């Protein structure tokens, strides 16, 4: 098992690398965790007061500590004990000497899928990982489900109270790989629909649609097809620069964005350009790119974003920053337009986002997704993590 988790809790230190491993009374126990726990501080304080010694600053270590302390006899019951104490978003893969275990939290915030390869079972966050190794997709792990695999025999446990599923909508907007399949459709299809919907909501006179690569590409194709304005690769992304967003400091982020994108002048000079990106978080990418496109001789630069303004921080594993760093949390549309330097800036409506996902609208009684970044409707209480000073971590 493995996981490329960047530090959404705790620091980017070697000891926080996943999977975390411990030798427990029943043998080796390794755990990789996609998501973020929300009651880490109080649980950690409690365990430390009882003598627990933490080796890392990762929230995931709590799971190991709690499993280790459970008085249950069987591993699966120890795990259920631990899961009953943690709160937050978690999709887990766990490996013991005998078992491969998959867990999805009761609201199903982060994804986890089951596949098969040569008569064995495989677990992964997304179906694209199954495709790479030639495995066949079987099904999603359900919210609140624990899957235990031993000698190719599979058992499913559902120990939690049943809740309506609230998958994080940002997986479809940004996170997931375009070729992954969610609910029977590729993520690419959802993103194209987001772009189409944005074009339906905003009729702007322009010569070219240019995606901010790579994440804006699928949506820009949708926008171009719907608006009938030609699609051009007016910005080229260097594949030797990684994800700039997750760099630890703003200076490195800004430098990274600069090194990452360059302008393809032939598509832009003297043109009215509509740039498409999936989201604005701090505004680092948008400001740089609008400026670059004007410098390359564009007549007008408009910027379309295929989700609503991100006004609320995430605490479930996306690593969006606190309120004070979120552009849309601090400025209104006019101010944001000026800051990014575009002639116009437009976001997809919340309703449009749901329409692109195949719904008529957001069901306010029973929301289909966790869309807390846009609405502030946090399906899992975030008060503790919001007020966390990380005293015990840093
Ligand atoms: P920013 O530059 O801070 O406004 O962030 C927005 C850009 O980063 C967009 O181009 C997104 O595609 C990308 N992005 C948005 N959310 C995330 C995330 N959680 N991790 C990495 N990249 C992201």
């Amino acid at each position: 098992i493995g996981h490329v988790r960047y530090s959404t809790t705790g620091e980017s230190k070697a000891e926080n690398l996943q999977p975390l491993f411990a030798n427990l009374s029943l043998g080796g126990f390794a755990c990789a965790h996609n998501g973020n726990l929300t009651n880490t501080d109080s649980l950690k304080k409690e365990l430390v007061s009882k003598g627990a010694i933490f080796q890392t600053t990762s929230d995931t270590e709590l799971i190991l500590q709690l499993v280790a302390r459970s008085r249950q006899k069987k591993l699966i019951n120890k795990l259920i004990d631990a899961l009953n104490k943690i709160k937050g978003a978690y999709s887990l893969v766990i490996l013991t000497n005998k078992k491969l275990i998959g867990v999805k939290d009761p609201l199903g915030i982060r994804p986890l899928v089951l596949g098969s390869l040569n008569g064995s079972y495989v677990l992964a966050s997304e179906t694209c990982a199954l495709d790479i190794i030639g495995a066949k997709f079987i099904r999603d792990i359900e919210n609140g489900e624990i899957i235990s695999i031993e000698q190719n025999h599979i058992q499913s446990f559902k120990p939690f109270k049943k809740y309506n599923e609230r998958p994080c909508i940002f997986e479809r907007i940004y996170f997931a790989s375009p070729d992954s399949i969610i609910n029977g459709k590729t993520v690419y299809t959802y993103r194209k629909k987001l772009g189409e919907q944005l074009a339906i909501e905003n009729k702007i006179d322009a010569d070219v649609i240019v995606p901010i690569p790579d994440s804006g590409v699928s949506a820009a194709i949708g926008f171009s097809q719907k608006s009938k304005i030609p699609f051009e690769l007016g910005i080229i992304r260097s594949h030797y620069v990684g994800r700039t967003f997750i760099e630890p400091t703003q200076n490195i982020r800004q430098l990274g964005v600069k090194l990452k994108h360059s302008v393809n002048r032939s598509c832009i000079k003297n043109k009215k350009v509509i740039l498409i990106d999936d989201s604005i978080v701090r505004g680092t990418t948008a400001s740089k790119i609008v400026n670059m496109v004007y410098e390359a001789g564009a007549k007008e630069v408009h910027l379309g974003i295929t989700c609503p303004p991100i006004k609320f921080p995430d605490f479930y594993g996306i690593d969006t920053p606190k309120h004070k760093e979120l552009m849309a949390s601090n400025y209104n549309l006019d101010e944001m337009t000026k800051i990014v330097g575009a002639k116009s800036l437009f976001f997809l409506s919340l309703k449009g986002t749901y329409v692109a996902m195949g719904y008529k609208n957001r069901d306010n009684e029973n929301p289909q997704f966790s869309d807390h970044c846009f609405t502030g409707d946090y399906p899992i209480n975030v008060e503790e993590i919001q007020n966390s000073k990380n005293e015990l971590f840093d």
Side-chain angles (χ1 to χ4, degrees):
I1 62 171
H3 182 23
V4 226
R5 186 195 198 199
Y6 56 79
S7 49
T8 52
T9 299
E11 308 104 301
S12 303
K13 292 205 288 199
E15 58 264 37
N16 285 346
L17 286 177
Q18 304 235 352
L20 296 188
F21 174 82
N23 263 315
L24 307 183
S25 57
L26 292 178
F29 182 98
C31 177
H33 168 200
N34 180 14
N36 223 34
L37 304 186
T38 52
N39 63 337
T40 316
D41 279 15
S42 55
L43 276 178
K44 199 162 183 179
K45 262 186 200 139
E46 186 188 324
L47 290 174
V48 168
S49 75
K50 289 180 182 156
I53 297 167
F54 280 82
Q55 308 284 339
T56 76
T57 55
S58 164
D59 54 340
T60 310
E61 190 180 354
L62 274 166
I63 299 170
L64 279 76
Q65 296 266 4
L66 289 165
V67 172
R69 270 152 202 272
S70 166
R71 297 196 182 279
Q72 295 286 343
K73 295 269 177 311
K74 283 179 147 178
L75 179 84
I76 208 78
N77 294 332
K78 283 179 185 288
L79 178 62
I80 292 170
D81 252 6
L83 298 176
N84 274 322
K85 295 204 171 73
I86 60 173
K87 295 196 177 113
Y90 51 88
S91 280
L92 309 174
V93 283
I94 294 166
L95 191 65
T96 70
N97 294 348
K98 288 193 184 150
K99 290 181 165 65
L100 173 65
I101 298 172
V103 184
K104 213 188 215 186
D105 69 67
L107 298 181
I109 296 202
R110 305 255 81 92
L112 189 64
V113 299
L114 177 70
S116 72
L117 177 67
N118 301 331
S120 296
Y121 289 105
V122 190
L123 292 168
S125 286
E126 293 178 33
T127 64
C128 65
L130 304 178
D131 294 337
I132 284 173
I133 58 167
K136 245 180 55 202
F137 170 66
I138 301 178
R139 68 172 177 89
D140 285 312
I141 307 302
E142 290 176 31
N143 51 320
E145 184 180 12
I146 303 176
I147 287 279
S148 171
I149 300 158
E150 187 175 356
Q151 300 281 349
N152 295 339
H153 173 68
I154 193 160
Q155 267 184 296
S156 162
F157 302 86
K158 289 179 187 158
F160 306 113
K161 191 181 137 198
K162 188 86 188 133
Y163 294 91
N164 287 332
E165 198 180 21
R166 297 287 297 272
C168 174
I169 200 165
F170 213 60
E171 293 280 347
R172 297 200 194 182
I173 293 167
Y174 170 77
F175 258 122
S177 182
D179 51 334
S180 278
I181 293 173
I182 304 181
N183 273 355
K185 282 190 192 158
T186 57
V187 169
Y188 173 73
T189 328
Y190 294 115
R191 298 219 177 120
K192 252 178 81 177
K193 283 263 177 244
L194 288 165
E196 286 175 19
Q197 203 53 40
L198 188 68
I200 292 171
E201 292 181 9
N202 299 276
K203 308 244 182 299
I204 289 169
D205 171 41
D207 304 312
V208 279
I209 305 298
V210 170
I212 299 188
D214 286 332
S215 48
V217 173
S218 322
I221 292 174
F223 194 107
S224 161
Q225 289 179 356
K226 190 49 102 187
S227 63
K228 307 236 164 25
I229 303 170
F231 171 97
E232 295 284 2
L233 286 178
I235 296 167
I236 306 300
R237 193 202 142 164
S238 161
H239 286 276
Y240 302 99
V241 180
R243 280 190 174 173
T244 42
F245 184 97
I246 57 180
E247 295 295 351
T249 67
Q250 185 63 10
N251 267 352
I252 304 183
R253 274 194 293 271
Q254 261 160 358
L255 179 67
V257 170
K258 205 162 178 180
L259 296 175
K260 188 159 128 180
H261 298 107
S262 57
V263 178
N264 185 1
R265 281 183 176 70
S266 59
C267 313
I268 277 173
K269 202 159 185 245
N270 295 326
K271 301 259 169 71
K272 292 185 198 164
V273 179
I274 300 182
L275 292 171
I276 301 289
D277 203 358
D278 57 273
S279 57
I280 288 188
V281 181
R282 298 179 181 89
T284 318
T285 311
S287 314
K288 285 270 157 192
I289 296 212
V290 168
N291 189 26
M292 278 166 72
V293 173
Y294 267 126
E295 277 182 0
K299 247 195 309 200
E300 284 176 18
V301 182
H302 304 265
L303 176 61
I305 302 292
T306 56
C307 73
I310 297 178
K311 293 189 173 157
F312 300 90
D314 174 80
F315 300 100
Y316 307 142
I318 303 190
D319 196 28
T320 48
K322 300 228 156 81
H323 274 290
K324 68 174 193 302
E325 285 180 56
L326 288 174
M327 193 184 226
S329 182
N330 294 286
Y331 301 101
N332 64 29
L333 186 63
D334 277 353
E335 292 166 329
M336 284 198 280
T337 313
K338 284 206 184 86
I339 294 169
V340 302
K343 181 152 171 65
S344 77
L345 168 65
F346 48 101
F347 291 85
L348 184 59
S349 66
L350 187 64
K351 178 174 179 190
T353 310
Y354 274 78
V355 170
M357 298 300 147
Y359 297 97
K360 273 213 177 89
N361 205 340
R362 182 183 200 263
D363 176 354
N364 289 332
E365 298 291 302
N366 240 330
Q368 301 89 329
F369 293 99
S370 183
D371 54 12
H372 50 276
C373 299
F374 316 128
T375 58
D377 169 13
Y378 293 98
I380 303 165
N381 191 305
V382 291
E383 213 170 301
E384 178 176 334
I385 189 163
Q386 210 161 17
N387 298 325
S388 165
K389 297 207 172 48
N390 274 343
E391 294 156 332
L392 283 160
F393 291 109
D394 303 321

